[in-house]
Amino acid sequence: MDDDTPPVASKLTRSKQRWASEGKFLTGHIARPETERLPPGQHLVRDWPVLDLGQQPNVQLARWKLAIGGLVEHPVTLDWAGFMALPQTGIRSDIHCVTTWSRYDNDWQGVATRDLLDLVQPKDEAGYLMLHGSDGYTTNVPLADFAVPNAILAHGWQGKPLAREHGGPVRLVVPHLYFWKSAKWISGIDFLPADKPGFWEVNGYHMRGDPWAEERYS
Ligand SMILES: Nc1nc2c(c(=O)[nH]1)N[C@H]1C(S)=C(S)[C@@H](COP(=O)(O)O)O[C@H]1N2
Ligand SMILES: [Mo]
């Protein structure tokens, strides 16, 4: 009997094991004392500013689609019914925008990125994602940052449908990175072997964007 050989590990299981051994998920788990809740150089706001490229696409639910492809075992294009049939999660998180405003205690409703990853199963070679918005926006994130337990594809905010100006019907929220990584009107997710700059990254923003390290510009 060979004790070293587990039954059958799926590729995702193996990826998760590898990430765990590399400590890749630690970023989202760091508990900071309340006094350190505001990252360096940020100030607190109570309202919720709107920032985008000046175009706010009007995406009807009947036409909504999210295409997930690249280095995944199961590429899929979800429609609204398919998206809403995935496990639904509520997550509370803070927003930190690179333009120095932060907003606490946002209650998001939607699909945890982990549940999306379970569905599509990233291949071992996938290390980075390019996120696409239906306004033509793009932004890149490492897979390990996308996969943290509190990242979410949000269709709700404070119990109401996410407003169009904030990226509704669905936007990404990766709370431990600057908010420009959280693509509004998300329409596509591409799994890539290597990192590639998106819109703001081409224009001088940081490739990763950790607010605690003030990774604002490259
Ligand atoms: N599709 C899309 N997503 C986007 C942007 C954009 O222009 N288009 N702007 C980013 C930037 S720079 C920020 S700060 C946040 C702003 O989100 P908000 O308008 O909901 O505050 O969205 C990010 N996601
Ligand atoms: Mo931003």
Side-chain angles (χ1 to χ4, degrees), residues 48-53 97 101 133-135 137 165-167 171 179-185 200 205:
W48 184 7
V50 173
L51 289 102
D52 49 55
L53 303 176
C97 175
W101 59 269
S134 46
D135 58 342
Y137 186 78
E165 65 265 28
H166 288 299
R171 78 175 300 157
F179 211 33
W180 88 78
K181 297 292 184 180
S182 293
K184 307 204 282 189
W185 311 291
W200 282 118
Y205 281 21

Side-chain angles (χ1 to χ4, degrees), residues 26-37:
L26 289 178
T27 316
H29 284 293
I30 295 168
R32 294 181 178 81
E34 195 65 17
T35 50
E36 278 185 52
R37 187 167 174 184

Side-chain angles (χ1 to χ4, degrees), residues 167-180:
V170 179
R171 78 175 300 157
L172 178 66
V173 178
V174 180
H176 70 288
L177 298 180
Y178 283 124
F179 211 33
W180 88 78

Side-chain angles (χ1 to χ4, degrees), residues 45-52 55-57 95 101 103 106 108 135 152-158 160-173 179 182-186:
V45 299
R46 290 195 161 273
D47 58 346
W48 184 7
V50 173
L51 289 102
D52 49 55
Q55 226 209 95
Q56 298 174 347
I95 297 172
W101 59 269
R103 191 182 188 286
N106 298 273
W108 308 104
D135 58 342
I152 188 168
L153 287 150
H155 58 70
W157 178 79
Q158 313 295 113
K160 289 165 291 183
L162 181 66
R164 172 179 167 188
E165 65 265 28
H166 288 299
V170 179
R171 78 175 300 157
L172 178 66
V173 178
F179 211 33
S182 293
K184 307 204 282 189
W185 311 291
I186 192 160

Side-chain angles (χ1 to χ4, degrees), residues 132-153:
H132 298 262
S134 46
D135 58 342
Y137 186 78
T138 54
T139 188
N140 54 308
V141 289
L143 175 54
D145 286 312
F146 181 84
V148 298
N150 63 349
I152 188 168
L153 287 150

